[in-house]
Amino acid sequence: MNILALEPYFGGSHQAFLDGWITQSQHCWTLLTLPAHHWKWRMRHAAITFAEQVTSLPHTHFDAIFCSDMLNLAVFRGLAPQSIAQLPAVVYFHENQLTYPDNTRAQRDYHYAFDNFQTLLAADQAWFNSAYHRTEFFQQCRAFLKKFPDFTLEGRLDHAFGQTTIASPGLPEIETSQREHNWQCPHIVWAARWEKDKNPESFFRAMYRLKDDGLPFRLSIVGESFRDCPPIFSEAREVLADHIEQWGFLPSHEDYVRLLCTSDIFVSTAEHEFFGISAAEAILAGNLPVLPSRLAYPELVDQQPSLLYDGTTFGLIAHLQKLREDKTFQQAVQQQTALVALKLDRLQWSQLAPVYDERLKSVTDKA
């Protein structure tokens, strides 16, 4: 099949998804992309821009459209040539603008959320990266639509839900590293955007407590930082200087995987997460996950109880201390991590791409 892919924000997880799938796909792909910055402007103009760009493409028979949630698919269908507009379309929800944190505004701009709703209705099928994400989006979308004075449209969600499915993001090829874990001086990794919704304060407070208790550990803090970086990072870099192995963004994904292959424990303190790719990659690389029992994490690790903590700072401290001292608990964590790694191995693109190729073909067969 010939697939027209439209990605208004070609960077990060959006780019990784398309690159990973296309590399392993049996379909032929034509990509129209825009740079991964000024996301609000991308959501405003992408449909118009892409509708103009498709008119200058070499004459090709396309079988389907694949786009992300950053595109207003309804507007694109209205402006594109009929031969393109009438194609069956699948939208992939990496995130949504109803529940994605917006730390720059005191009040959310719901125009972008309504764009997501329109795209949902305009698609033949909507793929969500986790069941948690789909449930949260539909709950919040229903509440959002009920706020309007009349013609509230929430009834459209019932039909739209039937057009959705769960499609985990594919993972890169990572060979699971079988190694002995250092229980007495573990190498702990925290890898996330350096922003408030990833809850770095909780993580560093837990590390301060381990330091005060005299427990040895090594620490790698990686991830993308921004201009308004929470001040806890500069404080923690000084307080925990003697424990730091790696601090800051790594130049390539290969460097990040190499780090994961030498570390012991991956910790998340996130208050916002639609899937948990960093945690999934860490597990594949041989790390033992310590994840809050909220968001998409229980789904990611199949509710394995020894891999989850209660989400509080005190709960994280207790979990890490138990992991250091309790051999029975250590064995349970290792066994449960191995089970999750088997599941995640099937999400590597070499195995997942044929599944998604067939799923995309089934959408066109029904059209």
Side-chain angles (χ1 to χ4, degrees), residues 79-101:
L79 297 175
Q82 185 177 2
S83 60
I84 300 293
Q86 66 186 6
L87 292 171
V90 171
V91 57
Y92 190 88
F93 276 82
H94 294 271
E95 65 279 303
N96 73 82
Q97 300 308 318
L98 264 174
T99 64
Y100 193 89

Side-chain angles (χ1 to χ4, degrees), residues 108-155:
R108 184 179 298 275
D109 187 337
Y110 285 103
H111 288 91
Y112 302 103
F114 203 80
D115 285 352
N116 283 166
F117 174 62
Q118 290 178 303
T119 292
L120 178 73
L121 298 184
D124 293 83
Q125 199 168 88
W127 297 4
F128 284 80
N129 51 4
S130 68
Y132 162 78
H133 182 192
R134 179 175 66 176
T135 298
E136 184 186 54
F137 174 73
F138 273 83
Q139 287 176 345
Q140 294 301 315
C141 194
R142 192 175 299 277
F144 164 60
L145 293 171
K146 286 181 178 179
K147 295 179 180 179
F148 290 97
D150 55 18
F151 298 97
T152 54
L153 303 175
E154 71 264 23

